[in-house]
Structures are given as structure tokens and as C-alpha cells.
Amino acid sequence: MEFSSRARQRHLRLAGDRREPYPHSLQFYQEPPTESISLAEFESFAALAEDDYDARRKDHISHFILRLAYCQSEELRRWFLQQEMDLFRYRFHELTDSLRQKFLDHVNLSFEAVSALLSGFVLRRVCLMLFKIVGLSDAVDLFRARRVFIKDGFAFVPLKDIDAIVLNNYRKNLSKALALTARSLPSIQSDERLQPLLNHLSHSYVGPDYSVQKNTGKISLEHIDALSVKSFPLCMRQLHKALRENHHLRHGGRMQYGLFLKGIGLTLEQALEFWKKEFIKGKVDADKFDKGYAYSIRHNYGKEGKRTDYTPYSCMKIIMSNPPSQGDYHGCPFRHSDPELLKQKLQSYKVPPSGVTQVRHNLFGALFNEALFLNFISY
């Protein structure tokens, strides 16, 4: 396609205008969008595309939509903050050195190079590394961990640790912004068009629907051990392993794992047999099991109480409700486990080193890591 001189100038001017609001693919989301968008766009802006103008615009707007949805309670704010931190960390690490510096300039975090302050003194070890100079208040966490050199009220931060400074700034800004957004909720909640959408967003799950029952009765008890190793999600594999080792699970674990087994096809009769055999191996005799545990299993299958035919927990329910305490094995390992313990667990399950690294550092949240794990295990 050929352009006249005037048309070419207009084309370049328009391209420049589109780049101006989003000069970088990464941002701190400090300024809310001011343009008008349709309700259809409002509902659909929750995924990212490539690094072009449209993707950056969608990223910007979708962040503020999700901020509205997830500021409605302290629990939701904590969860959203953690997911945003994980996503930001991943995207910051993916930047090239030049793009990383461009981003730091863009958010006014352009730290002074160490060479400018070394004229008055010489430190051989310092000179061998690339450092940035920041204010001491920006490097408190690194200072506590003794990972920085302090002089005259400044912190000398190794270039490899500069992400800690950036992440700390992002966390402080976003945490404050979420609190301020929560204060504005009453005006948003009065809009009958938006509030149902926001409520849906904060409790929605976009992964596979594991609550739909399929293949009922098509697995047998002798297959469960093999299936737990090659096909179970990590949360269920963890529960199965704990049950086999301890011959018992607390209520949260029994509910999460019991409904999962029901969902993959275990009949009521098989479930009663499975749990009874395992508990008898522990400290529960047959009579105690029949009186104390069989009722809840029949209840899950809709044979007791309200006669509700319960479905397995969704990933969102596992992540967001009833966090495990000491002695519990339920919950989501990617959400509730100590990172080092999670690393050891993945290694013990023969996940390759590249997979462990990807799960630990390329974080998009617990749901993303569950999908990664299922990709890495052998079927």
C-alpha cells in the first residue's frame, strides 16, 4: 500500500497518538482509564493479547475492572494483590534489559548507577558487580536480609535484586489503591448494571468445569493408586498420599477428596468401602466408622439430610475458602504451600527442573500452576 506525503504524515501521527497512552507493555496502573466503554467490553476485558496498542489498552482497562471486583472484601483484596504481584513479577522478568530500563524511567524509578558515587571511595567487591543506588526506605526488605551495602543513607542494590525494589513499590501503590477503591464501592453498587457483573467476576472460574459429573461408576478401587500418580491434580494427589500414609483425613480433606472421587466415578458403595478400609488401618474400628463417618459420605451422595446431590469443589472454591491449618492436607498446594516445600514436592513427583522453575517463577496464580502441573506429569 502506497501513501502520499500528507497521508503518510497523518498515518504516523495517528500511530504516535495510539502509542502515547501506553508507551510500555508493563505499567503500575496508577491512572484509571477515562474513556467510555460498552458493557460488552466491560464484561469481556479479562484476558490479555499481544503487546500492541489494543492489548495494552485492554490490559489497562481490565486491571481496573478486576480491581473493582476484588476490592469488595479484605480476603478478595489480599488474593487479587497476590495474583497481580505474581503476574507483574513474571512480566518484569521477561523484559529485556533495555525495556526494563525504559519501564523504570516510565514509572519514575530510574535509579542512579553506582559508578557516579564511587569517586570518593573504592570497594573492590562492589566494583566487580553492577549496582544501583536507591533510598534506604526503598530497600528495607533487602536491608533486613543483609543483601545490600549501606552508606550515607543510600542502599547499593545489586542489579539482579532491583526487581525487589520495583515489586515493593508496586505492592505499596496497589494496596493503597485497592483500599481507596473499596471506599468508592457504594457509588458503584448503586448501578444495577455493573454490580451483578462485578459479583460474578470475583467468584468466577474460567478453567475446565470439574464439577460436571462424568463416567460415573467407570473406575474401580484398584485403579485409584495408579490414577493418583499419573492423572490427579496436585491437590488431590496430595490428599490421596496423606490418606494412604496416615489412614485418616480431617473433615476438610474428606470433603474435598470425597467429592472429587465421586466426581471421577466412584459409586456410593465403592466410596463407603474405600474410606472404611483405609480408616480401619488407622485408629478407627468398623463400628466407629459406621457411626461417625458413613453418614457424611451418604450425605455427599444425596442419600441423607436434604438429599442434595453434591458436586466436586471447583478450583476457585478450593483456593478461596477454608484454608488449611497445621495437620490439614486440603486446599490448593500452589496457593497454600510454602514455596520451598512446593518445590520439593514437585521434584519428588518427577516434574523436570524446567517445569519446577516455570511453576515457581512464571506465576499467573494458582489456577495457572495447576494447569502447568497437569501438563508436566506423565499420562
Side-chain angles (χ1 to χ4, degrees):
M1 181 181 296
E2 295 183 0
F3 293 97
S4 67
S5 178
R6 181 177 299 177
R8 185 180 297 109
Q9 290 177 3
R10 181 175 180 274
H11 176 75
L12 293 174
R13 185 176 67 254
L14 288 174
D17 291 342
R18 284 167 62 87
R19 284 194 296 268
E20 184 178 352
Y22 307 112
H24 203 281
S25 61
L26 196 59
Q27 56 177 310
F28 269 5
Y29 308 102
Q30 293 173 314
E31 297 295 331
T34 57
E35 62 181 288
S36 298
I37 65 172
S38 67
L39 281 176
E41 284 183 306
F42 187 95
E43 191 170 7
S44 66
F45 273 17
L48 304 177
E50 299 300 322
D51 280 346
D52 53 18
Y53 170 83
D54 291 329
R56 295 179 187 186
R57 172 177 173 266
K58 179 182 286 190
D59 177 39
H60 184 217
I61 296 174
S62 65
H63 170 88
F64 281 90
I65 293 173
L66 294 175
R67 186 186 290 187
L68 281 173
Y70 282 90
C71 74
Q72 299 182 71
S73 70
E74 180 62 30
E75 182 181 25
L76 288 174
R77 288 194 291 273
R78 285 199 305 269
W79 189 84
F80 179 69
L81 182 62
Q82 184 58 55
Q83 308 318 306
E84 284 293 305
M85 291 294 293
D86 290 340
L87 176 58
F88 185 91
R89 182 185 296 108
Y90 164 75
R91 296 174 70 185
F92 187 75
H93 286 166
E94 288 294 294
L95 295 177
T96 63
D97 290 342
S98 60
L99 286 177
R100 191 175 292 124
Q101 186 59 53
K102 181 181 177 182
F103 170 73
L104 294 177
D105 293 338
H106 176 60
V107 295
N108 296 318
L109 286 177
S110 185
F111 309 119
E112 188 176 359
V114 74
S115 58
L117 242 69
L118 282 179
S119 58
F121 63 94
V122 177
L123 295 174
R124 290 187 179 181
R125 295 185 64 184
V126 169
C127 290
L128 294 175
M129 302 176 66
L130 293 175
F131 276 69
K132 293 281 189 178
I133 303 169
V134 303
L136 185 56
S137 60
D138 289 325
V140 172
D141 292 338
L142 294 174
F143 175 64
R144 288 173 181 158
R146 299 187 178 184
R147 292 166 60 187
V148 295
F149 173 76
I150 305 297
K151 183 176 177 61
D152 297 332
F154 290 96
F156 290 69
V157 180
L159 201 58
K160 65 181 181 64
D161 290 332
I162 206 68
D163 59 335
I165 308 294
V166 179
L167 283 163
N168 187 48
N169 273 271
Y170 183 50
R171 177 186 289 277
K172 288 191 298 185
N173 290 337
L174 182 55
S175 181
K176 182 179 179 180
L178 283 169
L180 292 173
T181 306
R183 296 179 191 175
S184 67
L185 272 181
S187 61
I188 301 296
Q189 290 169 335
S190 63
D191 191 326
E192 61 184 15
R193 301 170 304 165
L194 296 183
Q195 190 56 37
L197 295 177
L198 296 177
N199 288 338
H200 173 72
L201 280 173
S202 63
H203 295 88
S204 63
Y205 166 61
V206 296
D209 185 1
Y210 297 112
S211 65
V212 177
Q213 295 187 11
K214 300 176 182 178
N215 303 322
T216 302
K218 293 186 178 180
I219 67 167
S220 56
L221 295 178
E222 60 267 23
H223 293 155
I224 292 180
D225 286 326
L227 288 172
S228 71
V229 174
K230 73 173 187 175
S231 300
F232 279 15
L234 185 57
C235 56
M236 302 305 172
R237 181 171 180 173
Q238 174 176 280
L239 283 164
H240 182 78
K241 184 173 184 291
L243 177 63
R244 288 302 199 203
E245 291 178 350
N246 304 322
H247 311 299
H248 191 273
L249 287 175
R250 291 182 176 178
H251 178 72
R254 296 197 303 273
M255 289 297 294
Q256 181 175 321
Y257 190 42
L259 288 173
F260 170 79
L261 291 175
K262 176 190 176 186
I264 65 172
L266 217 61
T267 65
L268 172 58
E269 292 72 22
Q270 289 175 319
L272 287 168
E273 179 184 352
F274 172 77
W275 289 101
K276 188 172 186 176
K277 281 185 176 179
E278 200 61 47
F279 274 44
I280 288 176
K281 293 177 183 179
K283 299 179 180 180
V284 177
D285 58 36
D287 186 60
K288 183 177 180 180
F289 179 87
D290 291 337
K291 292 179 179 178
Y293 298 96
Y295 177 89
S296 65
I297 297 174
R298 293 196 298 271
H299 187 273
N300 285 345
Y301 280 79
K303 304 303 181 182
E304 300 285 358
K306 296 186 294 183
R307 308 284 176 172
T308 301
D309 191 17
Y310 292 96
T311 57
Y313 289 170
S314 67
C315 285
M316 185 61 71
K317 180 177 177 65
I318 292 172
I319 292 169
M320 296 296 292
S321 63
N322 190 24
S325 57
Q326 187 172 5
D328 286 327
Y329 295 92
H330 66 273
C332 174
F334 300 108
R335 176 69 177 87
H336 300 118
S337 293
D338 174 82
E340 189 58 35
L341 291 178
L342 176 61
K343 174 185 175 181
Q344 295 173 11
K345 187 172 298 182
L346 293 173
Q347 290 173 336
S348 70
Y349 291 162
K350 309 302 181 184
V351 175
S354 60
V356 175
T357 301
Q358 190 174 355
V359 168
R360 293 185 71 215
H361 298 296
N362 297 2
L363 296 177
F364 283 116
L367 303 180
F368 178 73
N369 282 323
E370 188 72 66
L372 279 178
F373 174 74
L374 289 173
N375 284 333
F376 286 127
I377 61 178
S378 173
Y379 287 92

